[in-house]
Amino acid sequence: MGVAAAPWHTAPIVAFDLEGSGAQDRAREAILELAAVPLVNGRPEPDQGFSTLVNPGRPIPRRPWISPGLTDDRLAGAPSIIDVGATLAGRINGRWLLGHNVNVDWRLLRRHLPHLRPAGLIDTLPLARQAVRDGRRSLTDLINHFGLAGAVDLAAPGSQPHRALWDATAVGYLLGSLAAAIWPGAIPTLDAIRSPEEQPRLF
């Protein structure tokens, strides 16, 4: 049985999130923080993950959408995105990259680190459209909808919503809840959850 036809929770999946300076920076958009959290038997394991602030190499104006704590003073002592590239490659290459509206983060990550080679992308947003017919579908709204906030807080102590580690851990939990809601009583395959029609060209 190939990976795509196997139960989704047996696949090598890493939940990913990054915080950036904002799309209005266009080609100069900087990565300020990122986290990669592996899923083990379908559950996120933050203790085995990687999370870091990222020094953008320039001052970042204070903007309302930039997460609390991502200040120039704190970022100044962090590694650059190039410095963490090898570590990320070891955690992402050959694995399925999971995120909420994952294409947005993937495009920015790929712009900065074009050598990364995930096996493919898994996006919880199209799955959420199947599972939750009414209401908002932001990551925080979905975590609250499925009653997962407490589990995420326990798994990622010291983090908070809209920070990379919390959000990566959250999307790891969310995938299991979405799979259970869409396929009650069954375990979907990786091929079913990865929504191949949603996939952009990776490279």
Side-chain angles (χ1 to χ4, degrees), residues 135-181:
R136 300 172 63 180
R137 299 187 185 93
S138 72
L139 178 59
T140 303
D141 289 329
L142 291 164
I143 291 300
N144 290 332
H145 174 84
F146 286 106
L148 297 171
V152 180
D153 287 340
L154 287 173
S159 192
Q160 65 188 73
H162 309 299
R163 293 293 299 268
L165 181 60
W166 200 97
D167 285 4
T169 303
V171 80
Y173 277 109
L174 178 61
L175 180 60
S177 293
L178 291 172

Side-chain angles (χ1 to χ4, degrees), residues 24-35:
Q24 76 289 332
D25 282 347
R26 301 182 183 274
R28 297 187 72 235
E29 184 176 3
I31 295 173
L32 308 179
E33 184 181 41
L34 56 82

Side-chain angles (χ1 to χ4, degrees), residues 53-72:
L53 299 175
V54 178
N55 186 339
R58 62 180 174 88
I60 300 297
R62 296 308 304 155
R63 293 162 173 159
W65 56 86
I66 293 180
S67 300
L70 300 184
T71 62
D72 287 340

Side-chain angles (χ1 to χ4, degrees), residues 96-97 99-104 106-107 120-130 137 182-183 190-202:
W96 292 85
L97 195 64
H100 193 65
N101 201 12
V102 69
N103 295 342
V104 173
W106 168 242
R107 281 193 293 266
L121 306 179
I122 301 173
D123 193 344
T124 50
L125 182 56
L127 294 172
R129 294 189 183 112
Q130 297 179 58
R137 299 187 185 93
I182 298 169
W183 295 276
L190 173 64
D191 200 46
I193 69 164
R194 70 188 182 100
S195 302
E197 71 278 3
E198 300 279 341
Q199 299 299 316
R201 290 187 61 183
L202 284 176

